[in-house]
Amino acid sequence: MTELALSPAGFVNEFYPSFWWIPAGILAAALAIKLPSIIRLWKDPMLRAVGGLLLLALAVFVFVAPSTIAGVNRLTGVSNISAPWVYSLLTAFGGACLLLIITWRNGLSDRSARTRRAMRWVIIGYSGVIAALWVLFALADVPVERLRDIDTYYANTPYMRELILLYLLAHTNSSLITNYLIWNWIRTDGLDAWLRWGLKFLGVGYALQLAFDAAKLTALVARWNDRDLDWLSTAVAPPLACLAAILVAVGFILPHAGQYLHDRCRVRLALYELRPLYLLMRSVSGRGVPFVLRASAELRLIRRETFIRDTLLSLARFIDEDLRRRSYEAAVGLGFPAPRAKALAAAVTILAATTARSGPGTPDRTADPDTTDLLREIGAVSRELRHDEDVRRVHSLATTTPDEDVRVTN
């Protein structure tokens, strides 16, 4: 007999025991990716704060899993003690997010009275909420262990009712304020692209946290009015919480990881672009940059640039300024824009200089050539060396005898 497809609520109920390990695994991976930077730049308080935030989020999802809840209850011998523990972690996470956003936006150097006062109130307020959670739990009578529906099961139990409401209100408050700060920040002009995208992920993540709070509070209020909307708490809120945590993790990591990857790609691209000119200069000098096993990409780029410029300086007496002028005019005549025509002219001149260097004698120059542009624009020159056909066309036109009338047909 074919079973009917599970409804969304049925799907969540079916996989609820293992559901929480998905975001936990993603958060653990994010923390592992970030950990080397945190260790290497330990003095950076922002990196430490992001690492601590990811660790808190990971702890929430590890301890909210039913198997962990049961294990903590058995280990302590106190029924449902996991409830105040998980709620404390969630409250601490909300407060830490709020603190990080305040610090991140205002900058570490901002020690204004307003910023200090805001951070002090966040610390005092959320520390007080966590203390109140444990006091209320100590006063509550919760003998029946509940692994997944404790919020609605004890919704009408004295003190436990207040405990549940307190953590939900605290979490809603932090999500609302953080969400407001984030979307207000996004509208600021002049933001880095990676930071803006990170803030957008954070904004959506915190909006989903508000949806999580709304689902939980609706189920709680329904219980107070003798109605059963428990599915909102057990089937709707969990996936919202998981997706929100993932988006928040991405939002905090993206500005740092994105900029790091962007810088790495930029360095790799620069190395790739300089390769043709580097190989040409290596053929001129008869040697290249010595290989260093543990050299970073940045160090390799600096050494390659230095080697190219040093070799170009040794070619200075073979540079033909007249050829460069005629090559530029030829490139412009062929329809190339001025910046590219300049690079093509330099490429033609450098190739001619390498040929002259390997020939007999030293050319007679009335004045020292100006190598400033050559040394400054090595990246553009190297890119043009990849376009052999364009370089040959410019060279051919530039070396045509002055008396010959050269017409270029487009």
Side-chain angles (χ1 to χ4, degrees), residues 22 26-27 36 51 78 87 121 128 177 195 295:
I22 298 173
I26 294 173
L27 288 165
V78 179
Y87 297 159
W121 277 113
I177 297 175
L195 175 57

Side-chain angles (χ1 to χ4, degrees), residues 192-222:
D192 174 76
W194 290 108
L195 175 57
R196 191 179 297 277
W197 274 106
L199 290 173
K200 288 180 179 179
F201 275 100
L202 285 173
V204 176
Y206 281 105
L208 288 175
Q209 284 195 14
L210 287 172
F212 163 85
D213 294 325
K216 286 280 188 179
L217 285 168
T218 302
L220 191 66
V221 173

Side-chain angles (χ1 to χ4, degrees), residues 279-298:
L279 293 177
L280 180 62
M281 294 299 99
R282 192 170 67 177
S283 69
V284 170
S285 67
R287 60 180 180 82
V289 177
F291 176 75
V292 178
L293 182 61
R294 297 182 63 84
S296 65
E298 290 82 358

Side-chain angles (χ1 to χ4, degrees), residues 95-273:
C97 288
L98 195 50
L99 280 175
L100 184 56
I101 291 297
I102 293 172
T103 306
W104 194 7
R105 178 173 182 179
N106 295 339
L108 294 172
S109 59
D110 183 3
R111 290 293 182 267
S112 65
R114 182 180 179 183
T115 300
R116 290 198 306 270
R117 185 167 57 252
M119 296 178 70
R120 185 167 57 248
W121 277 113
V122 170
I123 294 171
I124 293 173
Y126 281 84
S127 297
V129 169
I130 292 173
L133 292 176
W134 286 96
V135 171
L136 289 169
F137 179 75
L139 295 173
D141 182 19
V142 286
V144 181
E145 184 181 62
R146 308 301 298 183
L147 300 181
R148 55 177 299 182
D149 63 345
I150 192 169
D151 289 347
T152 49
Y153 186 86
Y154 287 111
N156 291 303
T157 301
Y159 300 112
M160 194 65 183
R161 172 183 59 227
E162 287 77 12
L163 185 155
I164 296 166
L165 181 62
L166 179 61
Y167 101 82
L168 284 174
L169 290 178
H171 189 259
T172 302
N173 180 68
S174 67
S175 298
L176 273 172
I177 297 175
T178 306
N179 208 31
Y180 168 77
L181 292 175
I182 288 171
W183 288 109
N184 191 43
W185 191 3
I186 289 174
R187 290 190 289 270
T188 304
D189 295 331
L191 288 183
D192 174 76
W194 290 108
L195 175 57
R196 191 179 297 277
W197 274 106
L199 290 173
K200 288 180 179 179
F201 275 100
L202 285 173
V204 176
Y206 281 105
L208 288 175
Q209 284 195 14
L210 287 172
F212 163 85
D213 294 325
K216 286 280 188 179
L217 285 168
T218 302
L220 191 66
V221 173
R223 276 284 185 169
W224 294 344
N225 292 280
D226 297 323
R227 296 183 62 188
D228 186 357
L229 293 178
D230 292 6
W231 58 274
L232 286 173
S233 178
T234 58
V236 174
L240 289 174
C242 293
L243 186 56
I246 294 169
L247 291 174
V248 168
V250 171
F252 278 119
I253 289 175
L254 189 61
H256 301 280
Q259 189 60 52
Y260 170 79
L261 292 175
H262 177 266
D263 291 342
R264 297 290 292 180
C265 289
R266 180 183 56 79
V267 171
R268 296 287 181 182
L269 180 61
L271 281 168
Y272 172 76
E273 288 182 340

